[in-house]
Amino acid sequence: MDEIRKGLENVIALETSIAFIDGEQGILKYRGHDINDLSKLSYYEVSHLLVKGSLPDGRELEDYSNELKQERFIPSDAMAVLSSCNFNIEAMDALRTTISYLSHCDSDMNGNSSEENIRKGMRMIAKFPVIVAMFYRIKTGQEIVEADTSMSHGANFLYMLRGERPSDLEAEIIEKDFILSAEHELNPSTFASRLATSTLTDIYSAIIAGVCTLKGPLHGGARMAVMEMLDEVGSVENAGLYVADKVNLHEKLMGFGHRVYKTYDPRARIYKELARQIAAEKGDLSWFEIAESIEKAAFKEFVENKGKTIYPNVDFYSAVVYKYLEIPPKLATAVFAIGRISGWIAHCLEQYSDNRVIRPRAKFVEI
Ligand SMILES: CC(C)(COP(=O)(O)OP(=O)(O)OC[C@H]1O[C@@H](n2cnc3c(N)ncnc32)[C@H](O)[C@@H]1OP(=O)(O)O)[C@@H](O)C(=O)NCCC(=O)NCCS
């Protein structure tokens, strides 16, 4: 009863039918479907699976996609809020502020039925990439690019960000990125969203709690940190020394280690292959090779020398993929959020449907 598990390690806080993780075997499933199979689908199929509970048939997918595509814009007053953001910030900060304002514009804001929450959730799924792309265009003094509703979720995001159509491989890879980022059981940001939901607050507030929590460098913020690390390492030759320095200084190596996985993160394996493919298409293996050298050096230090189960996590090779997609580091965590929003929405809906306020205890200690 009085046992304290710091960081709530291995505490089972609730039941879910959204995600299954086997941290020893390196297995991840969304609603019973293995991540390796899901990564072959489109983001909208996987989003439908998470939000609506099942993979869509042809008609359902068309309806779901059309609804989301129609929401690929933000109203002009929300645009004004986005434009007035301080641009020396991360896209996550702009996302948090703009989503908060968007809640004021939502006609369903004051309703908390399942239908209303799904509608609000779908609006956020559609608008997250629009906000991130627009933030970047405004920040860099470039014209806003209007959404193209003929494109997939991922391809349209890259198009709005860069102002030109992505290659087929880039479009495929960003869709996979969103799928791989979409859901991961009770990770800190999902837990934050569920905790907020458990007070019966509105779904925008619950999602904002998730956004705020994902930003931290021990969670989604690690992706940005890995991108900066790749720049800092700069060459294959420097990788060994860089990793050894981190170990000697007892500093964390970003993109490595996981609370649940005690083996290779299954998402990292897929991202590694995507990084290899995009590097080959770009005809520039340098970032991939630097990352592989860091991975090899880390394996030697952590696994061989210390016998620890510290392997690359989801943020390591995804950061390499972002390098090749020319996503600036200050956007990296927000791009992660574009994928994760479907998982957050699914968890909020599950929490609303069988709620009890989440309220643990603390042990008082005299100091
Ligand atoms: C993910 C993470 C927060 C999990 O934290 P946790 O379960 O609380 O694990 P701890 O931080 O207590 O680490 C356990 C041990 O492994 C070591 N460790 C874990 N991750 C490490 C890393 N990335 N680099 C170096 N050492 C690491 C810790 O120093 C600790 O060693 P000790 O027992 O000798 O003190 C942690 O691995 C981390 O900070 N990783 C880097 C940030 C990151 O990539 N986050 C994205 C997660 S998807």
Side-chain angles (χ1 to χ4, degrees):
M1 175 69 181
D2 285 343
E3 188 198 357
I4 296 169
R5 303 227 199 131
K6 202 169 176 192
L8 301 183
E9 184 164 6
N10 289 331
V11 170
I12 307 292
L14 47 86
E15 289 184 335
T16 184
S17 55
I18 303 169
F20 167 83
I21 304 175
D22 183 330
E24 301 295 327
Q25 307 284 324
I27 296 170
L28 169 63
K29 294 180 181 181
Y30 302 169
R31 297 199 188 276
H33 300 269
D34 192 278
I35 190 65
N36 288 287
D37 300 326
L38 291 176
S39 66
K40 298 180 182 118
L41 304 179
S42 70
Y43 181 68
Y44 284 162
E45 286 171 289
V46 175
S47 175
H48 188 285
L49 171 70
L50 292 168
V51 174
K52 301 246 176 165
S54 62
L55 282 173
D57 60 25
R59 183 61 200 264
E60 286 168 331
L61 180 60
E62 203 183 320
D63 290 348
Y64 193 70
S65 304
N66 286 340
E67 263 186 74
L68 288 169
K69 285 177 175 178
Q70 279 164 19
E71 291 289 339
R72 281 182 187 171
F73 71 94
I74 59 170
S76 55
D77 43 359
M79 237 339 243
V81 170
L82 182 60
S83 306
S84 64
C85 283
N86 167 358
F87 285 102
N88 192 23
I89 55 173
E90 280 180 46
M92 277 306 257
D93 301 313
L95 188 60
R96 183 193 63 223
T97 301
T98 313
I99 287 295
S100 181
Y101 184 79
L102 275 175
S103 70
H104 305 203
C105 315
D106 197 310
S107 53
D108 289 316
M109 179 57 192
N110 294 321
N112 213 16
S113 68
S114 180
E115 294 71 28
E116 286 161 319
N117 282 329
I118 289 178
R119 281 204 296 271
K120 286 186 274 189
M122 286 177 68
R123 288 183 194 123
M124 283 190 268
I125 292 168
K127 293 184 195 309
F128 266 37
V130 176
I131 295 167
V132 178
M134 285 186 172
F135 167 76
Y136 178 68
R137 300 292 293 184
I138 300 169
K139 180 181 158 76
T140 51
Q142 300 182 76
E143 291 283 304
I144 296 291
V145 178
E146 295 301 323
D148 183 331
T149 52
S150 70
M151 291 187 190
S152 70
H153 200 60
N156 179 62
F157 167 64
L158 288 180
Y159 172 64
M160 291 185 76
L161 184 73
R162 307 193 308 201
E164 53 190 44
R165 295 179 78 90
S167 73
D168 289 348
L169 182 63
E170 286 177 323
E172 194 187 316
I173 283 180
I174 193 75
E175 283 277 295
K176 291 188 195 305
D177 168 56
F178 293 160
I179 293 167
L180 295 171
S181 301
E183 164 55 16
H184 210 234
E185 199 221 50
L186 278 198
N187 61 87
S189 57
T190 302
F191 188 58
S193 283
R194 281 194 81 131
L195 190 145
T197 304
S198 83
T199 68
L200 297 185
T201 189
D202 70 282
I203 198 163
Y204 275 98
S205 301
I207 295 305
I208 291 164
V211 169
C212 296
T213 312
L214 185 71
K215 188 184 160 195
L218 294 188
H219 191 13
R223 207 167 282 199
M224 176 170 84
V226 174
M227 293 185 82
E228 290 166 349
M229 170 172 77
L230 291 167
D231 282 331
E232 200 181 331
V233 173
S235 74
V236 167
E237 293 70 37
N238 292 341
L241 200 58
Y242 180 90
V243 174
D245 274 355
K246 287 277 170 199
V247 172
N248 292 336
L249 294 167
H250 300 288
E251 288 179 7
K252 291 276 178 73
L253 187 65
M254 300 314 272
F256 284 80
H258 201 276
R259 174 61 66 76
V260 181
Y261 293 118
K262 299 305 163 206
T263 182
Y264 213 101
D265 183 327
R267 302 163 298 172
R269 219 178 269 292
I270 303 173
Y271 270 120
K272 185 172 181 180
E273 186 47 35
L274 298 180
R276 196 195 306 273
Q277 288 173 16
I278 190 82
E281 179 175 270
K282 300 274 178 185
D284 169 15
L285 291 179
S286 58
W287 297 118
F288 181 77
E289 288 175 350
I290 292 169
E292 239 190 353
S293 319
I294 296 172
E295 183 189 346
K296 279 184 192 146
F299 185 81
K300 193 162 168 269
E301 292 282 355
F302 296 138
V303 184
E304 288 182 355
N305 293 352
K306 296 195 189 312
K308 290 186 176 181
T309 51
I310 300 175
Y311 297 91
N313 61 44
V314 69
D315 292 311
F316 188 64
Y317 280 104
S318 57
V320 184
V321 167
Y322 288 7
K323 276 280 190 200
Y324 285 109
L325 292 177
E326 293 159 49
I327 291 170
K330 280 194 170 175
L331 263 62
T333 320
V335 178
F336 188 165
I338 294 174
R340 180 55 58 89
I341 175 76
S342 291
W344 286 335
I345 300 290
H347 278 274
C348 292
L349 296 171
E350 189 175 68
Q351 186 68 39
Y352 282 129
S353 72
D354 181 19
N355 187 55
R356 187 157 191 229
V357 73
I358 298 172
R359 202 295 187 200
R361 292 297 311 274
K363 181 177 172 184
F364 175 72
V365 284
E366 195 102 35
I367 48 168

